[in-house]
Amino acid sequence: MLYIGWVRSVRPQRANLFLHVNDGSSLQSLQIVASSELNDPLLTFGSAVEVTGILKKSPSQKQPVELEADQIHVVGECNPLDFPFKIKERHGLEYIRQFPHLRCRTNAFSSLLRIRSEATTAIHSYFKENDFVQIHTPVITSNDCEGAGELFQIEPSKSENEEDENFFSVPAFLTVSGQLHLEVMSGAFSRVYTFGPTFRAENSQSRRHLAEFYMVEAEVSFTQSLEDLTKVMEDMFRSATEHVLAYCAEDVDLFHKHVTPGHKVSPEGHLFNFGTYPGSLFLITYSEAIDILNRSSEKFDFSTHWGCDLQTEHEKYLVKHCGNIPVFVTDYPYDLKPFYARDNEDHPQHTAAAVDLLVPGVGELCGGSLREERLDLLRARLEEVGLEDTYSWYLDLRRFGSVPHGGFGLGFERYLQCILGVDNIKDVIPFPRFSHSCLL
């Protein structure tokens, strides 16, 4: 058979040569046994090789499978003296982050990428099995879904005529969310989702922020219940995590033992303990959350009062207070939520039918809401914020066969942080983009 891969270790002896070669498909390397006559000065840690020989099945699963080689061909040289990763050293995530073009060759990051791949597969499988239609929402958009104004505007690098107007005749941006395009589709499909890159021009280099990140977003039609949304959030989380634990057990173990020691995820663990909806401690209203925070003896950097936006420190405290398990927080102040969130019409507090999922170690993982399907209320809200003309098409969705619906978004990188215990979001994406950094 022919085996290709990269050398992870070289051990020459008088009669035999032993190599460990890895092709990236798993953490486990293949042991190559060859005559010492096949030794080559170019056979070094990191070099790429093609090996032909006879595969010998291992009598014990604890022992690596061996390949008795009759030919070893070095196809790519690697100078171990210049290579930034050393064979017998364990390098931290912060160190390998300096080498975005090489860090995929480390055990830790190759494990991360396999986990990320399987988690992606699991999420798509969950939606397919539950009759969601995948929609490829556009990366280029004229909408500001979040209303935060932190957008990357796009234009051609060179204009044929400097007096030309916008390429698209209107200002165009990189998307911050596919939600509004999913709402278009939810007028024809009862369940839709999208999974793709989103962008935010937030001038931050913190461990929580990226300029480019991936979002899983879903819309469910014919629902007037937040319970329908929380059920999809919980079921998707469980399904994806169980899949990752089943298919990437060795990679997950590497993280929990060597990268984030002390962190543990299992089907019996706290991350799967969502409680029951409704009436459980694990589902609280925003008002109850503020009451918990106000009664706390914790010293927060940001003060808490009814109407304030919950900060990460508040979210993590609420998770801890509720037993260090996932917590749903519902019914946020109406003024905190975008124009599309459904009005609960519960004056004098005035809240929106919105829900966030808070998880250990991360804080907010998912955010969603029922969408305002009542034309008169939606029009009034758009008029209030001066967007009625901009979103006239959105009002059309309510005029022509609208149904009660809702949806949510999950930050994919935050999900990976949650199950792996990784502190810095830049360590769970192949090529992190953030303020003042766009390497490669």
Side-chain angles (χ1 to χ4, degrees):
M1 70 167 289
L2 172 67
Y3 185 77
I4 56 175
W6 293 265
V7 175
R8 290 293 175 87
S9 71
V10 183
R11 188 160 52 93
Q13 294 185 350
R14 179 176 296 179
N16 293 315
L17 171 68
F18 296 91
L19 305 175
H20 280 97
V21 178
N22 189 283
D23 67 356
S25 61
S26 75
L27 191 60
Q28 187 69 257
S29 296
L30 179 67
Q31 180 166 280
I32 308 294
V33 182
S35 165
S36 58
E37 295 177 359
L38 294 180
N39 198 0
D40 186 322
L42 298 179
L43 276 174
T44 61
F45 172 63
S47 60
V49 295
E50 292 179 345
V51 183
T52 56
I54 301 172
L55 189 65
K56 289 191 130 186
K57 298 257 177 140
S58 170
S60 167
Q61 289 186 348
K62 293 184 179 180
Q63 297 297 323
V65 175
E66 287 187 354
L67 181 71
E68 284 192 356
D70 49 48
Q71 279 190 328
I72 301 175
H73 176 52
V74 178
V75 262
E77 300 177 26
C78 179
N79 185 341
L81 297 178
D82 296 330
F83 197 51
F85 310 130
K86 305 308 176 188
I87 188 170
K88 294 185 178 179
E89 293 183 23
R90 185 171 290 133
H91 304 286
L93 295 179
E94 187 173 359
Y95 173 77
I96 68 173
R97 198 186 309 143
Q98 303 173 75
F99 309 98
H101 57 307
L102 296 173
R103 66 175 178 168
C104 61
R105 305 187 191 191
T106 64
N107 281 343
F109 208 71
S110 63
S111 287
L112 178 279
L113 293 174
R114 282 188 292 270
I115 292 168
R116 187 179 172 106
S117 176
E118 286 296 341
T120 300
T121 297
I123 288 169
H124 283 298
S125 296
Y126 169 79
F127 282 122
K128 182 175 178 58
E129 290 165 6
N130 287 275
D131 300 322
F132 281 79
V133 175
Q134 183 182 8
I135 304 296
H136 294 130
T137 54
V139 170
I140 299 174
T141 179
S142 58
N143 299 319
D144 177 7
C145 178
E146 298 293 331
E150 298 163 342
L151 301 170
F152 287 104
Q153 187 164 354
I154 62 171
E155 56 188 27
S157 59
K158 191 177 289 186
S159 175
E160 294 180 4
N161 184 347
E162 292 184 0
E163 296 181 359
D164 284 350
E165 295 184 2
N166 292 313
F167 182 86
F168 295 102
S169 298
V170 295
F173 311 93
L174 294 179
T175 183
V176 296
S177 170
Q179 178 211 312
L180 296 183
H181 297 95
L182 284 184
E183 283 200 64
V184 171
M185 297 300 173
S186 67
F189 303 93
S190 60
R191 292 185 151 205
V192 292
Y193 83 101
T194 190
F195 187 171
T198 54
F199 307 85
R200 184 161 297 179
E202 191 163 4
N203 189 14
S204 173
Q205 299 182 39
S206 79
R207 65 187 59 165
R208 288 180 53 82
H209 293 101
L210 289 169
E212 178 186 31
F213 50 96
Y214 279 70
M215 288 288 292
V216 180
E217 299 176 271
E219 289 288 321
V220 180
S221 298
F222 299 96
T223 180
Q224 292 180 288
S225 167
L226 283 178
E227 181 179 358
D228 290 340
L229 298 185
T230 60
K231 185 176 189 314
V232 176
M233 291 183 199
E234 178 179 346
D235 289 349
M236 180 181 66
F237 183 98
R238 287 181 185 275
S239 177
T241 308
E242 287 171 351
H243 179 97
V244 168
L245 293 178
Y247 288 89
C248 293
E250 198 172 24
D251 293 313
V252 172
D253 283 347
L254 179 139
F255 265 82
H256 294 167
K257 287 179 182 177
H258 302 299
V259 182
T260 55
H263 188 82
K264 186 70 175 175
V265 178
S266 69
E268 298 78 29
H270 61 276
L271 278 179
F272 286 86
N273 189 0
F274 280 80
T276 57
Y277 183 108
S280 166
L281 176 64
F282 317 135
L283 186 145
I284 59 177
T285 66
Y286 170 88
S287 297
E288 291 170 333
I290 291 297
D291 186 52
I292 291 169
L293 293 168
N294 286 341
R295 288 189 284 106
S296 168
S297 59
E298 192 90 1
K299 300 298 181 185
F300 297 115
D301 292 333
F302 295 88
S303 62
T304 57
H305 57 274
W306 203 95
C308 75
D309 206 353
L310 296 182
Q311 303 296 320
T312 303
E313 59 176 349
H314 306 144
E315 295 166 348
K316 289 184 175 181
Y317 178 83
L318 290 170
V319 169
K320 184 178 178 182
H321 174 85
C322 294
N324 212 35
I325 60 172
V327 180
F328 289 111
V329 180
T330 67
D331 303 312
Y332 282 78
Y334 185 71
D335 290 339
L336 286 181
K337 293 301 174 181
F339 65 84
Y340 49 74
R342 196 177 199 274
D343 189 345
N344 280 332
E345 296 186 290
D346 54 350
H347 298 281
Q349 283 194 322
H350 199 191
T351 63
V355 58
D356 285 350
L357 172 58
L358 313 182
V359 294
V362 172
E364 181 190 345
L365 176 64
C366 297
S369 73
L370 298 180
R371 315 310 189 193
E372 185 57 80
E373 85 283 3
R374 296 163 291 187
L375 179 60
D376 55 339
L377 294 181
L378 180 59
R379 182 189 289 114
R381 185 73 187 277
L382 286 170
E383 287 176 351
E384 182 184 328
V385 295
L387 293 174
E388 185 180 14
D389 291 339
T390 302
Y391 288 98
S392 59
W393 65 268
Y394 193 71
L395 292 173
D396 281 348
L397 299 181
R398 272 53 175 179
R399 291 189 183 100
F400 308 123
S402 178
V403 297
H405 62 286
F408 68 90
L410 172 145
F412 186 54
E413 282 74 28
R414 288 189 181 184
Y415 167 73
L416 295 172
Q417 285 184 278
C418 174
I419 64 171
L420 296 176
V422 176
D423 185 53
N424 196 315
I425 197 169
K426 299 174 185 65
D427 297 324
V428 292
I429 191 168
F431 301 102
R433 273 78 173 97
F434 53 96
S435 174
H436 304 298
S437 179
C438 187
L439 301 176
L440 275 68

